[in-house]
Amino acid sequence: MTSQPDFTTYPRPDFVRPNLLWESLNGPWDFLFDDEDIGLDAKWPLNGLPASVTLSMATNAEDGTLEFGEVGDRVTQSIVSGTQKRLKDNTLCKASGQHENTKTVIHVPFVFQSPASGINDRGVHEVLWYEREIQDARSEDHRSRRDAVLLRFGAVDYEATVWVNGRLCGRHRGGQVPFNVDVTAALDCAIGQPSHRVTVRVYDSAYDLTQPRGKQYWGAKPESIFYTPSGGIWQSVWTEIVPRARIADSSDGTVLRSNDVEEGKLHAIVNVLGRKAGEKLSVELEAWYGGQIVATSERKALPKGTSATEVDLDMKFTKSFIERYLNTSVETVGYWNRTMAVWSPENPLLYDVVIRLHDAGDGVVDQVKTHIGMRSIEWSDGVWKLNGKPYFQALFLDQGYWPDTFMTAPSSEALKKDIELAKRMGFNGCRKHQKVEDPAFYYWADKLGFLVWGEMASAYKFSSEYVDRFNQEWTEAVKLVINHPSVVTWTTVNESWGYPSLHDNVQQRNHIRALYYLTKSLDPTRPINDNCGWQHVQTDLTTFHNYSDGPELEKTCADLSLILSKKADRNVFVDEMPGQNPGARHDESKPIMCTEFGGVNIAAAKQGESDRDWGYTTAQDPNDLLKRIERLVRGVVEGGHCCAFVYTQLTDIEQEANGLYTFDRKEKLDAGKVKAVIDGALMVFYDRVGTKSQDD
């Protein structure tokens, strides 16, 4: 095992209490496969996990696996046709001939399929059990204040049920987003016990295509654009002692809108959890910059009927603040009219924000430190603007996989490193693809100056169950990162995955339209890319995918009619269905963006070497790869229609070897040369729109 669990880094650096009381639960847990799903009937949460479980069933063709294989194969073929020669007999089947599952140790947060977990099992196991002991770290003061103990999970794929000492404490559905379980009552029932048993049951279907799964493949081996799945706990787990009445994070309703750069005001909605009926509490905000206080809000009392209140805070620097704390002899690039720090990838200027919760006696009940970046986004007249100026987004497709740990980042530093590697090559952001990343990623994107498009894992079959699942998890995904200035666009669906009949199915169209308006209701400040690539139903952006080689891509990007022509045999905008659905169309207000292109790999050194590695097109060597990248990038920009691109991709992932870096993050070609290519292409855009660069 080469990657070790991180025990020391607090998993939510974007939302921190002073005198933080937390304990990492990363590391060894007892672990057991429950392939016949007997654990609930056998009362494992009450009795503890057994040393082993005897299996009675053998796999046969009547269990529905073959039927699923046919359905899954049709879905795969519709998506990956033309990318790579398909593997034969690649149906995922449960192992036969195994008579017993034995309790073992897994290293959380790494999934059982990964080498880092210590298990490295690629078989079909849909029901998983985890167990370990925890301590109750509360003091008598904590108990007298009725402080709560939360058991916090970064992400568990897909359905999780949690018990403490055999007492049911909570459930959660959704594999991409965090959740908390309040275990205070369970601990209170066993005061005096030296330790407490936490039991977690996870159900993650290997076959249900209505379950959002992203790039996690349903075949026996990963192929084409799909990868090894990640089942169970895949992000950090920890306990945390918090005040009974406490400030909610964004997932529970605290929203910090920092897009009002014209007025220079932060518009906050602060939500409070754990408030007693009628309890008098008030909220105040404080903004800091460079270690100095910029502004303090008035104290706002929570209304009687709700536990949320709105607070505005003036973020502009006073004249005395500028004279005392800011070096006015240096360039003021990044400051809005020299009175406010404004965030951008080139100048990621952030304010620290302190939120305090006061009781009726003026005591501080809770306090949280976070950060915001003041920046505005506009999308109109065919141009995307950042802070009032045209801005070209040079993005790459970021799928967030690592060799030993798969979907789990090896550490917070690994997430930071990926951003640094990208910026080294001249990219100013990424389209996070088919995944909600670890919260530390968005923290580093804010700090380092890196644009991020938010996206969630797709499912591959449309149904009412899928609609219910996706609506819930997408809402949680948006709320998770809504306060990060780095997040600038929402992508709800990719390439019609899960919506195979948009050409003639009103229900499928209606759901994409519903997702558009659901997202707008949560966040009206960012543009929405409704169905990335083609078959747009209701969108703020005209996005298209084109993996042609240089000459063909140049031709397409120079001609609006070719940009809007069919892609992968699908219309870029859905047609009208007379009397049923109005369809959709491009108009001049929508910015045009090539949101997937490239995907070039390098030919193997000799035949038979890495013969499963592939790309959409193939270069002969690093020099040829650089030339191809230059022609592709310049082709998109010089065509004169696009104001953003998304290059596929930053790193190789398993058999998809079309990254600019290898799977273990080594350069395939000189980063400085790639940066020069991208910088040169972007200058073409800025010359066209009348500015010299992003900094102008």
Side-chain angles (χ1 to χ4, degrees):
M1 186 176 67
T2 57
S3 296
Q4 300 293 323
D6 186 348
F7 303 101
T8 60
T9 304
Y10 182 62
R12 292 301 302 268
D14 56 331
F15 197 84
V16 181
R17 290 180 166 86
N19 304 315
L20 188 65
L21 294 168
W22 75 288
E23 181 181 2
S24 174
L25 300 183
N26 291 346
W29 288 59
D30 288 339
F31 182 77
L32 183 61
F33 295 127
D34 186 9
D35 294 332
E36 296 179 1
D37 199 8
I38 65 170
L40 291 174
D41 290 341
K43 296 182 172 51
W44 290 356
L46 284 173
N47 304 323
L49 301 187
S52 63
V53 57
T54 301
L55 304 178
S56 61
M57 297 189 300
T59 300
N60 59 66
E62 298 177 359
D63 66 358
T65 300
L66 295 183
E67 180 183 354
F68 165 80
E70 294 174 0
V71 174
D73 188 69
R74 288 197 298 271
V75 173
T76 304
Q77 189 60 32
S78 71
I79 293 172
V80 307
S81 178
T83 61
Q84 184 185 34
K85 186 176 180 180
R86 298 287 311 284
L87 293 169
K88 293 183 178 180
D89 302 320
N90 197 27
T91 300
L92 188 64
C93 298
K94 293 184 178 181
S96 59
Q98 186 173 343
H99 302 290
E100 184 179 69
N101 284 332
T102 303
K103 182 169 69 175
T104 186
V105 171
I106 190 169
H107 295 276
V108 167
F110 306 126
V111 296
F112 71 85
Q113 295 97 333
S114 71
S117 70
I119 296 177
N120 198 19
D121 186 325
R122 309 297 170 87
V124 179
H125 303 287
E126 297 182 293
V127 182
L128 319 171
W129 289 82
Y130 297 77
E131 195 166 77
R132 66 159 290 163
E133 298 289 319
I134 65 170
Q135 279 70 47
D136 183 354
R138 290 177 297 170
S139 66
E140 287 302 319
D141 285 343
H142 293 135
R143 290 192 177 92
S144 66
R145 292 194 303 263
R146 302 303 302 159
D147 287 350
V149 181
L150 302 182
L151 183 54
R152 307 191 65 181
F153 295 84
V156 181
D157 202 354
Y158 173 67
E159 297 177 4
T161 309
V162 181
W163 297 263
V164 173
N165 297 329
R167 180 186 177 115
L168 177 63
C169 293
R171 294 185 174 93
H172 182 263
R173 179 184 67 178
Q176 300 276 307
V177 289
F179 64 97
N180 301 327
V181 176
D182 190 330
V183 299
T184 312
L187 298 180
D188 285 345
C189 289
I191 291 176
Q193 279 188 203
S195 63
H196 304 269
R197 179 166 43 85
V198 175
T199 307
V200 181
R201 177 187 181 271
V202 178
Y203 175 69
D204 183 23
S205 175
Y207 306 109
D208 185 355
L209 294 182
T210 69
Q211 176 182 310
R213 63 179 65 238
K215 289 299 193 78
Q216 301 181 65
Y217 196 36
W218 50 86
K221 295 180 180 179
E223 59 180 320
S224 185
I225 64 170
F226 294 105
Y227 316 130
T228 304
S230 293
I233 297 172
W234 67 276
Q235 287 188 28
S236 289
V237 185
W238 71 102
T239 56
E240 188 170 341
I241 299 173
V242 297
R244 186 259 307 159
R246 58 191 179 275
I247 301 159
D249 63 16
S250 62
S251 294
D252 283 311
T254 292
V255 179
L256 306 177
R257 296 224 187 275
S258 58
N259 62 307
D260 188 359
V261 296
E262 290 287 348
E263 295 296 326
K265 289 186 177 180
L266 172 68
H267 303 290
I269 300 172
V270 179
N271 195 38
V272 174
L273 302 176
R275 180 193 186 191
K276 292 181 179 180
E279 186 175 14
K280 293 183 178 180
L281 298 170
S282 60
V283 171
E284 71 172 342
L285 268 65
E286 201 170 70
W288 293 65
Y289 185 80
Q292 304 296 328
I293 293 179
V294 175
T296 302
S297 74
E298 63 175 343
R299 200 172 295 177
K300 291 287 292 290
L302 295 182
K304 288 184 178 180
T306 178
S307 290
T309 189
E310 297 181 7
V311 183
D312 288 349
L313 193 61
D314 193 338
M315 308 301 286
K316 297 189 295 295
F317 302 135
T318 63
K319 182 179 179 181
S320 61
F321 186 96
I322 294 172
E323 291 174 348
R324 186 171 182 181
Y325 298 118
L326 299 182
N327 184 355
T328 55
S329 66
V330 300
E331 292 290 328
T332 56
V333 169
Y335 293 93
W336 189 262
N337 294 331
R338 294 177 58 111
T339 63
M340 185 177 64
V342 176
W343 187 95
S344 71
E346 293 69 38
N347 294 281
L349 307 178
L350 296 170
Y351 291 84
D352 290 324
V353 174
V354 175
I355 309 173
R356 293 192 186 92
L357 181 64
H358 294 267
D359 60 21
D362 202 31
V364 176
V365 176
D366 191 20
Q367 179 174 307
V368 168
K369 181 180 178 182
T370 184
H371 65 257
I372 60 100
M374 297 295 294
R375 59 103 185 94
S376 67
I377 303 169
E378 300 169 65
W379 55 99
S380 61
D381 302 323
V383 179
W384 191 88
K385 294 180 180 180
L386 182 66
N387 301 325
K389 299 176 182 179
Y391 191 95
F392 195 98
Q393 296 180 76
L395 314 178
F396 68 89
L397 201 68
D398 183 0
Q399 311 202 60
Y401 272 73
W402 287 265
D404 275 348
T405 60
F406 300 170
M407 284 178 62
T408 308
S411 64
S412 175
E413 286 298 313
L415 294 164
K416 179 183 179 184
K417 179 181 178 181
D418 273 8
I419 295 173
E420 291 172 337
L421 291 177
K423 288 177 74 77
R424 195 177 300 165
M425 284 193 172
F427 295 99
N428 54 34
C430 73
R431 176 184 161 209
K432 181 58 71 170
H433 188 44
Q434 289 298 293
K435 182 186 183 187
V436 180
E437 192 54 270
D438 187 304
F441 174 81
Y442 304 97
Y443 169 84
W444 285 119
D446 292 347
K447 292 283 186 180
L448 298 176
F450 199 65
L451 304 175
V452 181
W453 286 26
E455 184 175 330
M456 206 194 83
S458 292
Y460 295 91
K461 184 178 179 181
F462 189 85
S463 70
S464 58
E465 176 73 6
Y466 158 74
V467 168
D468 183 58
R469 287 171 165 174
F470 195 89
N471 288 356
Q472 171 218 317
E473 196 168 357
W474 174 248
T475 298
E476 293 178 33
V478 171
K479 287 182 174 181
L480 174 65
V481 299
I482 198 169
N483 293 335
H484 288 276
S486 57
V487 177
V488 296
T489 298
W490 302 116
T491 297
T492 52
V493 177
N494 179 67
E495 291 186 346
S496 306
W497 293 355
Y499 303 83
S501 302
L502 286 173
H503 60 287
D504 64 359
N505 188 297
V506 173
Q507 186 181 12
Q508 292 182 17
R509 291 187 183 191
N510 283 344
H511 187 237
I512 289 182
R513 185 173 284 107
L515 285 172
Y516 175 92
Y517 286 111
L518 170 63
T519 309
K520 283 292 184 188
S521 70
L522 295 169
D523 177 23
T525 71
R526 295 174 173 93
I528 297 170
N529 176 26
D530 69 326
N531 185 11
C532 198
W534 46 69
Q535 290 188 303
H536 293 291
V537 176
Q538 181 84 35
T539 188
D540 295 325
L541 309 173
T542 294
T543 63
F544 68 98
H545 296 173
N546 190 323
Y547 282 104
S548 300
D549 215 342
E552 186 66 27
L553 186 64
E554 288 174 347
K555 181 180 177 182
T556 296
C557 291
D559 187 333
L560 181 59
S561 66
L562 293 178
I563 289 173
L564 298 177
S565 65
K566 284 189 173 183
K567 303 290 182 290
D569 202 32
R570 298 173 177 90
N571 291 332
V572 173
F573 285 81
V574 295
D575 287 334
E576 179 185 4
M577 296 171 60
Q580 300 182 69
N581 187 275
R585 60 190 58 84
H586 173 71
D587 63 68
E588 293 181 356
S589 69
K590 291 183 173 67
I592 298 172
M593 304 177 176
C594 181
T595 47
E596 283 188 33
F597 77 110
V600 186
N601 73 330
I602 298 177
K606 57 185 178 181
Q607 191 170 6
E609 182 178 310
S610 302
D611 58 358
R612 289 297 299 166
D613 292 353
W614 74 279
Y616 292 90
T617 58
T618 300
Q620 295 307 306
D621 54 44
N623 288 332
D624 185 30
L625 177 59
L626 183 65
K627 290 177 183 178
R628 286 169 179 261
I629 291 170
E630 182 169 20
R631 188 162 189 182
L632 289 166
V633 167
R634 295 191 76 92
V636 173
V637 180
E638 291 178 352
H641 294 285
C642 295
C643 60
F645 64 63
V646 180
Y647 183 85
T648 302
Q649 59 184 329
L650 186 68
T651 74
D652 295 347
I653 303 175
E654 295 187 329
Q655 75 285 343
E656 190 175 357
N658 51 25
L660 298 174
Y661 293 90
T662 63
F663 202 6
D664 57 356
R665 277 57 178 175
K666 292 183 173 62
E667 287 183 2
K668 290 186 181 180
L669 66 174
D670 184 84
K673 293 180 179 179
V674 178
K675 185 177 187 303
V677 165
I678 292 178
D679 287 350
L682 265 56
M683 287 307 301
V684 173
F685 170 81
Y686 289 112
D687 287 344
R688 185 170 74 243
V689 297
T691 59
K692 295 179 181 178
S693 70
Q694 296 104 316
D695 291 331
D696 265 27

